Amino acid sequence: MFYIYGGIWQGRAQKRSPAGTAQTGSVSFAPAVQTSRNTVDLRGMRVGEASNKLEMAIDGCRPYQVLFVVHGMGTGAVKECALDVLRSHPRVVRMEDESPLNYGCTVAYIE
């Protein structure tokens, strides 16, 4: 446990197990925490534009990174396009479909 006293860290460090890490085979990913750097927002785009932006986002990812694909809840055309791109892209190891906790967003694990 650390304490801050006068801007100086004091105390002992406790070791933590990497709880919440997602594992796929021998590949281990960090916990899925959404930030502006690992999120691509496709809402309001046409299918072709969304496809190109998602391809560029995947190509720009570091290895073993989590990518949040925000596709929204409209007609479903952008969502289907995004899922097709994620299914066919060779760097995508797996993906988690939207759930009540992340409705309108698909989480992709990039290798």
Side-chain angles (χ1 to χ4, degrees), residues 31-58:
V33 177
Q34 186 174 6
T35 65
S36 61
R37 289 184 160 192
N38 67 352
T39 303
V40 59
D41 192 353
L42 306 177
R43 293 176 291 183
M45 295 183 182
R46 296 195 180 272
V47 171
E49 184 182 4
S51 175
N52 288 337
K53 188 170 183 178
L54 181 56
E55 288 275 348
M56 289 175 37
I58 293 171

Side-chain angles (χ1 to χ4, degrees), residues 1-3 10-14:
M1 183 173 279
F2 286 101
Y3 299 98
Q10 296 180 350
R12 291 185 303 186
Q14 295 178 350

Side-chain angles (χ1 to χ4, degrees), residues 22-82:
Q23 293 187 358
T24 305
S26 64
V27 178
S28 177
F29 290 88
V33 177
Q34 186 174 6
T35 65
S36 61
R37 289 184 160 192
N38 67 352
T39 303
V40 59
D41 192 353
L42 306 177
R43 293 176 291 183
M45 295 183 182
R46 296 195 180 272
V47 171
E49 184 182 4
S51 175
N52 288 337
K53 188 170 183 178
L54 181 56
E55 288 275 348
M56 289 175 37
I58 293 171
D59 292 339
C61 284
R62 296 184 326 265
Y64 309 114
Q65 181 177 344
V66 178
L67 180 67
F68 289 84
V69 182
V70 180
H71 44 70
M73 306 176 290
T75 61
V78 172
K79 175 185 175 181
E80 288 304 315
C81 170

Side-chain angles (χ1 to χ4, degrees), residues 75-106:
T75 61
V78 172
K79 175 185 175 181
E80 288 304 315
C81 170
L83 292 178
D84 288 342
V85 169
L86 292 173
R87 283 186 199 114
S88 64
H89 202 284
R91 290 190 62 204
V92 177
V93 177
R94 72 181 181 97
M95 60 185 180
E96 295 175 1
D97 287 331
E98 59 187 1
S99 69
L101 294 177
N102 61 347
Y103 197 68
C105 178
T106 301

